[in-house]
Coordinates of all heavy atoms in Angstrom, one line a residue:
A1 N -0.8 5.9 -16.0 CA 0.1 5.0 -16.6 C 1.1 5.6 -17.5 O 2.1 5.1 -17.9 CB -0.6 3.9 -17.4
S2 N 0.8 6.9 -17.8 CA 1.7 7.7 -18.6 C 1.9 9.1 -18.2 O 0.9 9.6 -17.4 CB 1.3 7.7 -20.1 OG 0.1 8.2 -20.3
T3 N 3.0 9.8 -18.5 CA 3.1 11.1 -18.1 C 3.6 11.9 -19.4 O 4.4 11.3 -20.2 CB 4.2 11.3 -17.0 OG1 5.4 10.8 -17.4 CG2 3.7 10.7 -15.7
L4 N 3.3 13.1 -19.4 CA 3.8 14.1 -20.5 C 4.8 15.0 -19.9 O 4.5 15.6 -18.9 CB 2.6 14.8 -21.1 CG 2.8 15.7 -22.3 CD1 3.4 14.8 -23.5 CD2 1.6 16.5 -22.7
T5 N 5.9 15.1 -20.4 CA 6.9 16.0 -19.9 C 7.4 17.0 -20.9 O 7.5 16.7 -22.1 CB 8.2 15.3 -19.3 OG1 8.8 14.5 -20.3 CG2 7.7 14.4 -18.1
Y6 N 7.9 18.1 -20.4 CA 8.5 19.2 -21.2 C 9.7 19.7 -20.5 O 9.6 20.2 -19.3 CB 7.5 20.3 -21.5 CG 8.1 21.4 -22.3 CD1 8.5 21.2 -23.6 CD2 8.2 22.7 -21.7 CE1 9.1 22.3 -24.3 CE2 8.8 23.8 -22.4 CZ 9.2 23.6 -23.8 OH 9.7 24.6 -24.5
G7 N 10.9 19.7 -21.1 CA 12.0 20.1 -20.4 C 12.4 19.4 -19.1 O 12.9 19.9 -18.2
G8 N 12.0 18.1 -19.0 CA 12.2 17.2 -17.8 C 11.2 17.5 -16.7 O 11.3 16.9 -15.7
T9 N 10.2 18.4 -17.0 CA 9.1 18.6 -16.0 C 7.8 18.1 -16.4 O 7.4 18.2 -17.6 CB 8.9 20.2 -15.8 OG1 10.2 20.7 -15.4 CG2 7.9 20.5 -14.7
E10 N 7.2 17.3 -15.6 CA 5.9 16.7 -15.9 C 4.8 17.8 -16.0 O 4.7 18.6 -15.2 CB 5.5 15.6 -14.7 CG 4.2 15.0 -15.1 CD 3.9 13.9 -14.0 OE1 4.8 13.4 -13.4 OE2 2.7 13.6 -13.8
I11 N 4.0 17.5 -17.0 CA 2.8 18.4 -17.2 C 1.6 17.7 -16.6 O 1.2 16.6 -17.1 CB 2.6 18.7 -18.7 CG1 3.8 19.5 -19.3 CG2 1.2 19.5 -19.0 CD1 3.7 19.7 -20.8
G12 N 1.1 18.2 -15.6 CA 0.1 17.6 -14.8 C -1.3 17.6 -15.5 O -1.5 18.3 -16.5
D13 N -2.2 16.7 -15.0 CA -3.5 16.6 -15.7 C -4.3 17.8 -15.8 O -5.1 18.0 -16.7 CB -4.4 15.5 -14.9 CG -3.8 14.1 -15.1 OD1 -3.0 13.9 -16.0 OD2 -4.1 13.2 -14.3
T14 N -4.2 18.7 -14.9 CA -4.9 20.0 -14.9 C -4.1 21.2 -15.3 O -4.6 22.4 -15.4 CB -5.5 20.3 -13.5 OG1 -4.5 20.3 -12.5 CG2 -6.5 19.1 -13.1
D15 N -2.9 21.0 -15.7 CA -1.9 22.0 -16.2 C -2.3 22.4 -17.6 O -2.9 21.5 -18.3 CB -0.5 21.7 -16.2 CG 0.0 21.4 -14.7 OD1 -0.7 21.7 -13.7 OD2 1.1 20.9 -14.6
T16 N -1.9 23.6 -18.0 CA -2.0 23.9 -19.5 C -0.5 23.9 -20.1 O 0.5 24.0 -19.4 CB -2.6 25.4 -19.6 OG1 -1.8 26.3 -19.1 CG2 -4.0 25.4 -18.9
Y17 N -0.5 23.9 -21.4 CA 0.8 24.1 -22.0 C 1.4 25.4 -21.7 O 2.6 25.5 -21.5 CB 0.7 23.8 -23.5 CG 0.2 22.4 -23.9 CD1 -1.0 22.2 -24.4 CD2 1.0 21.4 -23.7 CE1 -1.4 20.9 -24.7 CE2 0.7 20.1 -23.9 CZ -0.5 19.8 -24.4 OH -0.9 18.6 -24.8
H18 N 0.6 26.4 -21.7 CA 1.1 27.8 -21.3 C 1.7 27.8 -19.9 O 2.7 28.5 -19.7 CB -0.2 28.8 -21.3 CG 0.2 30.1 -21.0 ND1 0.9 31.0 -21.9 CD2 0.0 30.9 -19.9 CE1 1.1 32.2 -21.3 NE2 0.6 32.1 -20.0
D19 N 1.1 27.1 -19.0 CA 1.7 27.0 -17.6 C 3.2 26.6 -17.6 O 3.9 27.0 -16.8 CB 1.0 26.0 -16.8 CG -0.5 26.4 -16.4 OD1 -0.8 27.6 -16.5 OD2 -1.3 25.5 -16.0
H20 N 3.5 25.9 -18.6 CA 4.9 25.2 -18.8 C 5.7 26.0 -19.8 O 6.9 25.5 -20.1 CB 4.8 23.8 -18.9 CG 4.3 23.1 -17.8 ND1 5.1 22.6 -16.7 CD2 3.0 22.7 -17.4 CE1 4.3 22.0 -15.8 NE2 3.1 22.1 -16.2
G21 N 5.2 27.0 -20.5 CA 6.0 27.7 -21.4 C 6.1 27.0 -22.8 O 7.0 27.3 -23.5
V22 N 5.2 26.1 -23.1 CA 5.3 25.3 -24.3 C 4.8 26.1 -25.5 O 3.8 26.7 -25.4 CB 4.4 24.0 -24.2 CG1 4.4 23.2 -25.5 CG2 4.9 23.1 -23.0
E23 N 5.7 26.2 -26.5 CA 5.3 27.0 -27.7 C 5.4 26.2 -28.9 O 5.8 25.1 -28.8 CB 6.4 28.1 -27.7 CG 6.5 29.1 -26.6 CD 7.5 30.1 -26.8 OE1 8.2 30.2 -27.8 OE2 7.6 31.0 -25.9
P24 N 4.8 26.7 -30.0 CA 4.8 25.9 -31.2 C 6.2 25.4 -31.6 O 7.1 26.2 -31.5 CB 4.2 26.9 -32.3 CG 3.4 27.8 -31.5 CD 4.1 28.0 -30.2
G25 N 6.3 24.1 -32.0 CA 7.5 23.5 -32.4 C 8.2 22.9 -31.3 O 9.3 22.3 -31.5
A26 N 7.7 23.0 -30.1 CA 8.3 22.4 -28.9 C 8.3 20.9 -29.0 O 7.4 20.3 -29.6 CB 7.6 22.8 -27.6
H27 N 9.2 20.2 -28.3 CA 9.3 18.8 -28.3 C 8.9 18.4 -26.8 O 9.6 18.8 -25.9 CB 10.7 18.3 -28.6 CG 10.9 18.4 -30.0 ND1 10.8 17.5 -31.0 CD2 11.5 19.5 -30.6 CE1 11.2 17.9 -32.1 NE2 11.6 19.2 -32.0
L28 N 7.9 17.5 -26.8 CA 7.5 17.0 -25.5 C 7.7 15.5 -25.5 O 7.8 14.8 -26.5 CB 5.9 17.2 -25.3 CG 5.6 18.8 -25.1 CD1 5.2 19.3 -26.4 CD2 4.6 18.9 -24.1
S29 N 7.8 14.9 -24.3 CA 8.0 13.4 -24.2 C 6.8 12.8 -23.5 O 6.4 13.3 -22.5 CB 9.2 13.2 -23.3 OG 10.4 13.6 -23.9
L30 N 6.3 11.7 -24.1 CA 5.2 10.9 -23.5 C 6.0 9.7 -23.0 O 6.6 8.9 -23.6 CB 4.2 10.5 -24.5 CG 3.1 9.6 -24.0 CD1 2.3 10.3 -23.0 CD2 2.3 9.1 -25.2
N31 N 5.9 9.5 -21.6 CA 6.6 8.5 -20.9 C 5.7 7.5 -20.3 O 4.6 7.9 -19.8 CB 7.4 9.1 -19.8 CG 8.3 10.3 -20.2 OD1 9.3 10.0 -20.9 ND2 7.9 11.5 -19.9
F32 N 6.0 6.2 -20.5 CA 5.0 5.3 -20.0 C 5.8 4.0 -19.6 O 6.9 3.8 -20.1 CB 3.9 4.9 -21.0 CG 4.5 4.5 -22.3 CD1 4.7 3.0 -22.6 CD2 4.8 5.4 -23.3 CE1 5.3 2.7 -23.8 CE2 5.3 5.0 -24.5 CZ 5.6 3.6 -24.8
E33 N 5.2 3.1 -18.8 CA 5.9 2.0 -18.3 C 5.2 0.8 -18.9 O 4.0 0.9 -19.4 CB 5.8 1.9 -16.8 CG 4.4 1.8 -16.3 CD 4.2 1.8 -14.7 OE1 4.4 0.7 -14.2 OE2 3.9 2.9 -14.2
K34 N 6.0 -0.2 -19.0 CA 5.4 -1.5 -19.5 C 4.3 -2.0 -18.6 O 4.5 -2.0 -17.4 CB 6.4 -2.5 -19.7 CG 6.1 -3.8 -20.4 CD 7.3 -4.7 -20.5 CE 6.8 -6.1 -21.1 NZ 7.9 -6.9 -21.3
P35 N 3.2 -2.4 -19.1 CA 2.1 -2.9 -18.3 C 2.4 -4.3 -17.7 O 3.2 -5.0 -18.3 CB 0.8 -2.9 -19.1 CG 1.4 -3.1 -20.5 CD 2.7 -2.4 -20.5
M36 N 1.8 -4.6 -16.6 CA 1.8 -6.0 -16.1 C 0.5 -6.7 -16.5 O -0.5 -5.9 -16.7 CB 1.8 -5.9 -14.5 CG 3.0 -5.3 -13.9 SD 2.9 -5.3 -12.1 CE 1.6 -4.0 -11.9
R37 N 0.5 -7.9 -16.6 CA -0.7 -8.7 -17.0 C -1.2 -9.3 -15.7 O -0.4 -10.0 -15.0 CB -0.5 -9.8 -18.0 CG 0.0 -9.3 -19.4 CD -0.9 -8.5 -20.2 NE -2.3 -9.1 -20.4 CZ -3.3 -8.5 -21.0 NH1 -3.2 -7.3 -21.5 NH2 -4.3 -9.1 -21.2
I38 N -2.4 -9.2 -15.3 CA -3.0 -9.9 -14.2 C -4.2 -10.6 -14.7 O -4.9 -10.2 -15.7 CB -3.3 -9.0 -13.0 CG1 -4.5 -8.0 -13.3 CG2 -2.1 -8.3 -12.5 CD1 -4.9 -7.3 -12.1
T39 N -4.5 -11.7 -14.0 CA -5.7 -12.5 -14.4 C -6.7 -12.6 -13.2 O -6.2 -13.0 -12.1 CB -5.3 -14.0 -14.8 OG1 -4.3 -13.8 -15.8 CG2 -6.4 -14.8 -15.2
F40 N -7.9 -12.3 -13.5 CA -9.0 -12.5 -12.5 C -9.6 -13.8 -12.7 O -10.0 -14.2 -13.9 CB -10.1 -11.4 -12.7 CG -9.6 -10.0 -12.4 CD1 -9.0 -9.2 -13.3 CD2 -9.9 -9.5 -11.1 CE1 -8.6 -7.9 -13.0 CE2 -9.5 -8.3 -10.8 CZ -8.8 -7.4 -11.7
F41 N -9.7 -14.7 -11.7 CA -10.3 -16.0 -11.8 C -11.7 -15.9 -11.1 O -11.8 -15.2 -10.0 CB -9.4 -17.0 -11.1 CG -8.1 -17.3 -11.8 CD1 -7.1 -16.6 -11.5 CD2 -8.1 -18.2 -12.9 CE1 -5.8 -16.9 -12.2 CE2 -7.0 -18.5 -13.6 CZ -5.8 -17.8 -13.1
H42 N -12.6 -16.5 -11.6 CA -14.0 -16.5 -11.0 C -14.4 -17.9 -10.8 O -14.2 -18.8 -11.6 CB -14.9 -15.8 -12.0 CG -16.4 -15.8 -11.5 ND1 -17.3 -16.8 -11.7 CD2 -17.0 -14.9 -10.7 CE1 -18.4 -16.5 -11.1 NE2 -18.2 -15.4 -10.4
G43 N -15.2 -18.2 -9.7 CA -15.7 -19.3 -9.4 C -16.5 -19.3 -8.1 O -16.6 -18.3 -7.5
T44 N -17.0 -20.5 -7.6 CA -17.7 -20.5 -6.2 C -16.9 -21.4 -5.4 O -16.1 -22.2 -5.8 CB -19.1 -20.9 -6.4 OG1 -19.1 -22.2 -6.9 CG2 -19.9 -20.0 -7.4
S45 N -17.3 -21.4 -4.1 CA -16.6 -22.3 -3.2 C -16.9 -23.7 -3.5 O -16.2 -24.7 -3.2 CB -16.9 -21.9 -1.7 OG -18.2 -22.0 -1.6
A46 N -18.0 -23.9 -4.1 CA -18.6 -25.3 -4.5 C -17.9 -25.9 -5.7 O -18.0 -27.1 -6.1 CB -20.0 -25.3 -4.5
Q47 N -17.1 -25.1 -6.4 CA -16.5 -25.5 -7.7 C -15.2 -24.9 -7.9 O -14.8 -24.0 -7.2 CB -17.4 -25.2 -8.9 CG -17.5 -23.7 -9.1 CD -18.5 -23.3 -10.2 OE1 -19.5 -23.9 -10.3 NE2 -18.1 -22.3 -11.1
K48 N -14.4 -25.5 -8.8 CA -13.2 -24.8 -9.2 C -13.4 -23.6 -10.0 O -14.5 -23.3 -10.3 CB -12.3 -25.9 -9.9 CG -12.0 -27.2 -9.2 CD -11.0 -28.0 -10.0 CE -10.7 -29.2 -9.1 NZ -9.7 -30.0 -9.8
W49 N -12.3 -22.8 -10.1 CA -12.4 -21.6 -10.9 C -13.0 -21.9 -12.2 O -12.5 -22.7 -13.0 CB -11.1 -20.9 -11.0 CG -10.5 -20.6 -9.6 CD1 -9.3 -21.2 -9.1 CD2 -11.0 -19.8 -8.6 NE1 -9.1 -20.7 -7.8 CE2 -10.1 -19.8 -7.5 CE3 -12.1 -19.0 -8.6 CZ2 -10.3 -19.1 -6.4 CZ3 -12.3 -18.2 -7.4 CH2 -11.5 -18.3 -6.3
S50 N -14.0 -21.2 -12.6 CA -14.7 -21.6 -13.8 C -14.4 -20.6 -15.0 O -14.7 -21.0 -16.1 CB -16.3 -21.5 -13.6 OG -16.6 -20.1 -13.2
S51 N -13.9 -19.5 -14.8 CA -13.5 -18.6 -15.9 C -12.3 -17.7 -15.4 O -12.0 -17.6 -14.3 CB -14.7 -17.7 -16.3 OG -15.1 -16.9 -15.3
A52 N -11.7 -17.1 -16.4 CA -10.6 -16.2 -16.1 C -10.6 -15.1 -17.1 O -11.1 -15.2 -18.2 CB -9.2 -17.0 -16.4
H53 N -10.1 -13.9 -16.6 CA -10.2 -12.6 -17.5 C -8.8 -12.0 -17.2 O -8.5 -11.6 -16.1 CB -11.3 -11.8 -17.0 CG -11.4 -10.5 -17.8 ND1 -11.8 -10.4 -19.0 CD2 -11.1 -9.2 -17.4 CE1 -11.8 -9.2 -19.5 NE2 -11.4 -8.4 -18.5
S54 N -8.0 -11.9 -18.3 CA -6.7 -11.3 -18.2 C -6.7 -9.8 -18.6 O -7.4 -9.5 -19.6 CB -5.7 -12.1 -19.1 OG -4.5 -11.5 -19.0
V55 N -6.0 -8.9 -17.9 CA -6.1 -7.4 -18.2 C -4.7 -6.9 -18.0 O -3.9 -7.5 -17.3 CB -7.1 -6.7 -17.3 CG1 -8.5 -7.1 -17.6 CG2 -6.8 -6.8 -15.9
A56 N -4.5 -5.8 -18.6 CA -3.2 -5.0 -18.4 C -3.4 -4.0 -17.3 O -4.4 -3.3 -17.3 CB -2.8 -4.4 -19.8
V57 N -2.4 -3.9 -16.4 CA -2.5 -2.9 -15.4 C -1.1 -2.2 -15.3 O -0.1 -2.8 -15.8 CB -2.9 -3.4 -14.0 CG1 -4.3 -4.0 -14.1 CG2 -1.9 -4.4 -13.4
W58 N -1.0 -1.1 -14.8 CA 0.2 -0.3 -14.6 C 0.5 0.0 -13.1 O -0.4 0.1 -12.4 CB 0.2 1.0 -15.4 CG 0.2 0.8 -16.9 CD1 1.3 0.7 -17.6 CD2 -0.9 0.4 -17.7 NE1 0.9 0.5 -18.9 CE2 -0.4 0.3 -19.0 CE3 -2.4 0.3 -17.5 CZ2 -1.3 -0.1 -20.1 CZ3 -3.1 -0.1 -18.5 CH2 -2.6 -0.3 -19.8
G59 N 1.8 -0.1 -12.8 CA 2.2 0.1 -11.3 C 1.7 1.4 -10.8 O 1.4 1.4 -9.6
K60 N 1.6 2.4 -11.5 CA 1.1 3.7 -11.0 C -0.4 3.9 -11.1 O -0.9 4.9 -10.6 CB 1.8 4.9 -11.7 CG 3.3 4.9 -11.5 CD 3.9 6.2 -12.2 CE 5.4 6.3 -11.9 NZ 6.0 7.5 -12.6
E61 N -1.1 3.0 -11.6 CA -2.5 3.1 -11.8 C -3.2 2.8 -10.4 O -2.9 1.9 -9.7 CB -3.0 2.0 -12.8 CG -4.5 2.1 -13.1 CD -4.9 1.2 -14.2 OE1 -4.2 0.1 -14.5 OE2 -5.9 1.4 -14.8
K62 N -4.1 3.7 -10.1 CA -4.8 3.5 -8.8 C -5.8 2.3 -9.0 O -6.4 2.1 -10.0 CB -5.7 4.8 -8.5 CG -4.9 6.1 -8.5 CD -4.1 6.1 -7.2 CE -3.4 7.5 -7.1 NZ -2.4 7.5 -6.0
V63 N -5.8 1.6 -7.9 CA -6.7 0.3 -7.9 C -8.1 0.7 -8.2 O -8.7 -0.1 -9.0 CB -6.6 -0.5 -6.5 CG1 -7.6 -1.6 -6.5 CG2 -5.1 -0.9 -6.4
R64 N -8.6 1.7 -7.6 CA -10.1 2.1 -7.9 C -10.3 2.4 -9.4 O -11.3 1.9 -10.0 CB -10.5 3.3 -7.1 CG -11.9 3.7 -7.3 CD -12.2 4.9 -6.4 NE -11.4 6.1 -6.7 CZ -11.8 7.0 -7.6 NH1 -12.9 6.9 -8.3 NH2 -11.0 8.0 -7.8
V65 N -9.4 3.1 -10.0 CA -9.4 3.3 -11.4 C -9.3 2.1 -12.3 O -10.1 1.9 -13.3 CB -8.3 4.4 -11.9 CG1 -8.3 4.5 -13.4 CG2 -8.5 5.7 -11.2
M66 N -8.5 1.2 -11.9 CA -8.4 -0.1 -12.6 C -9.6 -0.9 -12.6 O -10.1 -1.4 -13.6 CB -7.2 -0.9 -12.0 CG -6.9 -2.3 -12.8 SD -7.8 -3.7 -12.1 CE -7.2 -3.7 -10.4
L67 N -10.1 -1.0 -11.3 CA -11.4 -1.7 -11.2 C -12.5 -1.1 -12.0 O -13.3 -1.9 -12.5 CB -11.8 -1.8 -9.7 CG -10.9 -2.7 -8.8 CD1 -11.3 -2.7 -7.4 CD2 -10.9 -4.2 -9.4
E68 N -12.6 0.2 -12.1 CA -13.6 0.8 -12.9 C -13.4 0.5 -14.3 O -14.4 0.3 -15.1 CB -13.6 2.4 -12.7 CG -14.1 2.9 -11.4 CD -15.6 2.8 -11.3 OE1 -16.3 2.8 -12.3 OE2 -16.1 2.6 -10.1
R69 N -12.2 0.4 -14.8 CA -11.9 0.2 -16.2 C -12.2 -1.2 -16.6 O -12.6 -1.5 -17.7 CB -10.4 0.6 -16.4 CG -9.9 0.3 -17.9 CD -8.5 0.9 -18.0 NE -7.5 0.3 -17.2 CZ -6.9 -0.9 -17.3 NH1 -7.2 -1.6 -18.3 NH2 -6.0 -1.2 -16.4
V70 N -11.8 -2.2 -15.7 CA -12.0 -3.6 -16.1 C -13.3 -4.2 -15.7 O -13.7 -5.3 -16.1 CB -10.9 -4.5 -15.6 CG1 -9.5 -4.0 -16.1 CG2 -10.8 -4.6 -14.1
G71 N -14.1 -3.5 -14.9 CA -15.4 -4.0 -14.4 C -15.3 -4.1 -12.9 O -14.6 -4.8 -12.3
R72 N -16.2 -3.2 -12.3 CA -16.2 -3.3 -10.9 C -16.8 -4.6 -10.3 O -17.6 -5.3 -10.8 CB -17.3 -2.2 -10.3 CG -16.7 -0.8 -10.7 CD -17.6 0.2 -10.1 NE -17.5 0.2 -8.7 CZ -18.1 1.1 -7.9 NH1 -19.0 1.9 -8.4 NH2 -17.8 1.0 -6.7
P73 N -16.1 -5.0 -9.1 CA -16.5 -6.3 -8.6 C -18.0 -6.4 -8.3 O -18.6 -7.5 -8.5 CB -15.7 -6.3 -7.2 CG -14.6 -5.5 -7.5 CD -15.1 -4.4 -8.4
G74 N -18.7 -5.4 -8.0 CA -20.2 -5.3 -7.8 C -20.9 -5.8 -9.0 O -22.1 -6.2 -8.9
R75 N -20.4 -5.6 -10.2 CA -21.1 -6.0 -11.4 C -20.8 -7.4 -11.8 O -21.3 -7.9 -12.8 CB -20.7 -5.0 -12.5 CG -21.2 -3.6 -12.3 CD -21.1 -2.8 -13.5 NE -19.8 -2.8 -14.1 CZ -19.1 -1.6 -14.4 NH1 -19.6 -0.5 -14.1 NH2 -17.9 -1.7 -15.0
W76 N -19.7 -8.1 -11.2 CA -19.4 -9.4 -11.4 C -20.4 -10.3 -10.9 O -21.1 -10.0 -9.9 CB -18.0 -9.8 -11.0 CG -16.9 -9.0 -11.6 CD1 -17.0 -8.3 -12.8 CD2 -15.6 -8.8 -11.1 NE1 -15.8 -7.7 -13.1 CE2 -14.9 -8.0 -12.0 CE3 -15.0 -9.1 -9.9 CZ2 -13.6 -7.5 -11.9 CZ3 -13.7 -8.7 -9.8 CH2 -13.0 -7.9 -10.8
R77 N -20.5 -11.6 -11.4 CA -21.5 -12.6 -10.9 C -21.0 -12.8 -9.4 O -19.8 -12.7 -9.1 CB -21.4 -13.9 -11.7 CG -22.0 -13.6 -13.1 CD -21.9 -14.8 -13.9 NE -20.4 -14.9 -14.2 CZ -19.9 -16.1 -14.6 NH1 -20.6 -17.2 -14.9 NH2 -18.6 -16.1 -14.9
S78 N -21.9 -13.4 -8.6 CA -21.5 -13.8 -7.2 C -20.5 -14.9 -7.3 O -20.4 -15.7 -8.2 CB -22.7 -14.1 -6.4 OG -23.3 -15.3 -7.0
G79 N -19.7 -15.1 -6.2 CA -18.7 -16.1 -6.1 C -17.5 -15.6 -5.6 O -17.3 -14.3 -5.4
Q80 N -16.4 -16.4 -5.6 CA -15.1 -15.9 -5.1 C -14.3 -15.4 -6.3 O -14.5 -15.8 -7.4 CB -14.3 -17.1 -4.4 CG -15.0 -17.5 -3.1 CD -14.3 -18.7 -2.6 OE1 -13.4 -19.2 -3.2 NE2 -14.6 -19.0 -1.4
K81 N -13.4 -14.4 -6.0 CA -12.5 -13.9 -7.0 C -11.1 -14.1 -6.5 O -10.8 -14.0 -5.3 CB -12.7 -12.4 -7.2 CG -14.1 -11.9 -7.4 CD -14.7 -12.5 -8.6 CE -16.2 -12.0 -8.9 NZ -17.2 -12.7 -8.2
Q82 N -10.2 -14.4 -7.4 CA -8.8 -14.6 -7.1 C -8.1 -13.8 -8.2 O -8.4 -13.9 -9.3 CB -8.4 -16.0 -7.1 CG -6.9 -16.2 -6.8 CD -6.5 -17.7 -6.8 OE1 -7.3 -18.6 -6.8 NE2 -5.2 -17.9 -6.8
I83 N -7.0 -13.1 -7.7 CA -6.3 -12.3 -8.6 C -4.8 -12.9 -8.6 O -4.2 -13.0 -7.6 CB -6.2 -10.9 -8.4 CG1 -7.7 -10.3 -8.3 CG2 -5.3 -10.1 -9.3 CD1 -7.7 -8.9 -7.8
R84 N -4.2 -13.1 -9.9 CA -2.9 -13.6 -9.9 C -2.1 -12.7 -10.8 O -2.5 -12.4 -12.0 CB -2.9 -15.0 -10.5 CG -1.6 -15.6 -10.6 CD -1.5 -17.0 -11.2 NE -2.4 -17.9 -10.3 CZ -3.1 -18.9 -10.9 NH1 -2.8 -19.3 -12.1 NH2 -3.8 -19.7 -10.1
A85 N -1.0 -12.1 -10.3 CA -0.1 -11.3 -11.1 C 0.9 -12.2 -11.9 O 1.2 -13.1 -11.5 CB 0.5 -10.2 -10.3

């Protein structure tokens, strides 16, 4: 959801500052996008949606990572899930 750049070049997750020539006193930029809010609704087919859980997600965030962060579906109670952005 965010990137760190130096001189207009992104510093990757596995990069070092040395890889990019970053020295003491250098200015780096932390860039991020505004998150979207989505709501997970929970219920069963025999009833209306009984609960809702709202979370922030980012457009560049991998779905698998988001599900790990907010709670994997396998850990949720049984029933149907609906997601609304």
Side-chain angles (χ1 to χ4, degrees):
S2 62
T3 59
L4 186 63
T5 59
Y6 176 64
T9 302
E10 182 176 332
I11 298 176
D13 290 342
T14 59
D15 295 351
T16 66
Y17 295 111
H18 178 75
D19 292 341
H20 293 272
V22 177
E23 298 180 0
H27 291 266
L28 294 95
S29 296
L30 180 62
N31 308 290
F32 55 93
E33 61 185 279
K34 184 177 178 179
M36 297 179 286
R37 298 293 304 177
I38 65 169
T39 303
F40 289 87
F41 293 92
H42 179 269
T44 66
S45 58
Q47 65 185 42
K48 293 186 177 186
W49 301 116
S50 59
S51 64
H53 180 70
S54 181
V55 297
V57 299
W58 289 265
K60 291 183 179 179
E61 185 175 22
K62 303 288 185 190
V63 172
R64 183 178 60 89
V65 171
M66 181 272 298
L67 290 174
E68 288 287 335
R69 182 172 54 82
V70 303
R72 295 183 73 177
R75 293 193 308 231
W76 296 339
R77 294 174 291 165
S78 63
Q80 295 178 348
K81 310 296 183 281
Q82 177 179 350
I83 300 173
R84 182 180 303 155

